[in-house]
Amino acid sequence: MWQGRSCRTPLAPGRGRAVTQTPVAGAQAVRRALDILHCFHDNAPDLSASEIARRLRLSTSTAHRLARTLLGAGFLEQDPRTARYRLGPAVTELGRLSYHQRGLHLASPELADLARRTGATADLALRSGPYAVIVAGGSVTPKVGLRRPLHSTALGKVLLAWPRPGEGGAESLPPLRAFTDRTIVRPDLLTAELARVRDREHAVNDGESAQGVRTLAVPVLDRTDAARFALAVRGTPDLITAETTEWFLDQARACARALEVLLLPPAQRHAGTR
């Protein structure tokens, strides 16, 4: 982190000492600007500068100044009638570029086929901090939030059980929130659950995030056997029963193996390696 440190530039010609620069303020402004963009997660409504300020505990003048900077760069846009802000075209552009760079356009047909064969909703997610972010599949609709807490979802448990370099396990999460009476809220119990997930090679969410929903998830592994993505099939307990669980897992694993190849960079994909 930059805070509390300084960097020194080379000596300027004809001067006897170095100039000390402190990039704390600049880094803090970038962090706050990114926090403003995160205010619009999960289909949040248009926000005024004062509402942004309250959410982030900033002064209204600071929120307004940062929002205007993001507006000028295209990351926000403003309703001329209400002066309220929403995400701008630059976010859409970068999102679409990331979507294609990750090969996610190749995943959608596979997920649609999995959903058709099983009658379940099929989703693909990656990790972003303490959340599983659904990036493709049946849950990606304008009315549904794309972020799910890691600890209360099958997708999240898979991402925690097969972490990528730099990602932590249960110990890396903020306090665990209960969504139903089945949600795991103790870190030690979550750690034990993740060990079971790795042993079984799949995760289950049986009413831990919402009543009447059962989800099975498996990893989409990279060449280091870390989970680049998690793949889930979701339905009611009447659809995904004790008797049909293994069949659903077989279908999900077959799709995950296909995605392990499809979602590789083209050169690796054509070489037939994982």
Side-chain angles (χ1 to χ4, degrees), residues 238-262:
D238 291 336
L239 177 66
I240 304 176
T241 65
E243 293 74 22
T244 62
T245 289
E246 283 304 319
W247 181 81
F248 275 98
L249 286 171
D250 286 343
Q251 303 304 308
R253 286 172 177 143
C255 185
R257 287 193 295 270
L259 293 179
E260 285 173 1
V261 176
L262 281 175

Side-chain angles (χ1 to χ4, degrees), residues 110-111 113-115 117-118 120-124 154-155 158 162 195-204 215-221 229-234 242 244-263 274:
E110 296 291 333
L111 296 171
D113 180 64
L114 177 62
R117 286 185 286 106
T118 61
T121 299
D123 289 322
L124 191 71
L155 288 166
V158 162
W162 285 273
R196 289 189 290 270
V197 168
R198 284 192 66 94
D199 184 59
R200 297 182 306 221
E201 298 184 343
H202 74 272
V204 179
T215 307
L216 306 172
V218 297
V220 177
L221 299 171
F229 301 93
L231 184 151
V233 287
R234 174 169 50 86
T244 62
T245 289
E246 283 304 319
W247 181 81
F248 275 98
L249 286 171
D250 286 343
Q251 303 304 308
R253 286 172 177 143
C255 185
R257 287 193 295 270
L259 293 179
E260 285 173 1
V261 176
L262 281 175
L263 297 178
R274 189 183 70 185

